[in-house]
Amino acid sequence: MAQKAAKQQAARNTSVLNRTHLISLAINAFFILLRLVLFRASSTRATYLLYGILSLPAVVIEFWFERIGRPVIAANGELKKSGEDLEAKGLTDYMWDVLYWTWGCTITAAVFGNKAWYGWIVVPLYSTWLAWSTFGGMTEGMAGMAGKSSNAEGTNGTPSNRQKKMAKRSEQRYQYQ
């Protein structure tokens, strides 16, 4: 039972990568077949150029996932490397979002035509929003590290009841006769 977690990670990554490649193959074949067979009249060089350029990020992401997520097995059958977690939060999660959105745009463009590729503009907008919210969250978090203001008053400028009691106690403690 040694390396049980690593073996589970390797099995999960293999399953996810195989499923991802099959879905991608099916979607891209659907686009090409639909454009060549059903919508042959509207199938132009611009159609395939847009398809190639706007599908490129999905292909790059799939190759990246393949590189970092595929388990490495030694010649003797022993697991050398289980691969990175493909369900991790952060950049990996964002890359899955881009992959899914690209697939959606590919299907939509296959059915409705080239104007559906305008839906891909959501990816840079989403990236900008994600970067802005992440940066905003960091600056708010950093502001909390600066500490409270030196006057230590309540939110409306008047001391709270607790602050009044503490001040009264300190005055009583240091009264000299």
Side-chain angles (χ1 to χ4, degrees):
M1 285 310 224
Q3 298 181 347
K4 182 179 178 184
K7 289 177 183 176
Q8 288 176 345
Q9 178 72 37
R12 190 170 45 244
N13 280 357
T14 302
S15 171
V16 166
L17 286 170
N18 289 341
R19 185 178 62 232
T20 302
H21 294 323
L22 285 174
I23 291 170
S24 181
L25 178 67
I27 288 172
N28 289 312
F30 174 75
F31 178 86
I32 292 171
L33 287 175
L34 204 62
R35 285 282 141 195
L36 286 176
V37 175
L38 200 57
F39 299 118
R40 186 151 179 84
S42 65
S43 193
T44 63
R45 181 177 283 177
T47 300
Y48 295 110
L49 185 64
L50 279 171
Y51 166 72
I53 291 171
L54 295 176
S55 293
L56 188 64
V59 172
V60 170
I61 288 171
E62 276 191 69
F63 280 124
W64 177 252
F65 283 160
E66 180 70 29
R67 182 173 167 88
I68 68 167
R70 182 68 68 180
V72 177
I73 299 174
N76 61 1
E78 187 176 312
L79 183 66
K80 286 177 76 176
K81 182 181 159 193
S82 64
E84 297 292 324
D85 184 13
L86 294 177
E87 297 173 1
K89 297 292 179 197
L91 184 60
T92 306
D93 197 26
Y94 169 73
M95 290 169 75
W96 281 112
D97 291 344
V98 172
L99 187 67
Y100 295 147
W101 190 258
T102 304
W103 286 348
C105 286
T106 303
I107 292 170
T108 309
V111 174
F112 297 112
N114 287 345
K115 294 203 186 236
W117 287 115
Y118 286 117
W120 215 87
I121 193 74
V122 171
V123 173
L125 294 174
Y126 176 66
S127 302
T128 304
W129 174 80
L130 196 61
W132 183 263
S133 64
T134 302
F135 179 72
M138 279 193 325
T139 55
E140 288 174 11
M142 295 290 202
M145 291 172 46
K148 299 215 179 235
S149 62
S150 60
N151 60 4
E153 293 179 352
T155 57
N156 59 358
T158 61
S160 66
N161 287 338
R162 183 176 183 273
Q163 290 170 335
K164 289 177 186 175
K165 287 180 184 177
M166 295 297 287
K168 188 175 182 182
R169 284 184 193 156
S170 67
E171 288 172 3
Q172 288 176 352
R173 190 178 298 157
Y174 296 113
Q175 287 181 351
Y176 296 106
Q177 296 179 350

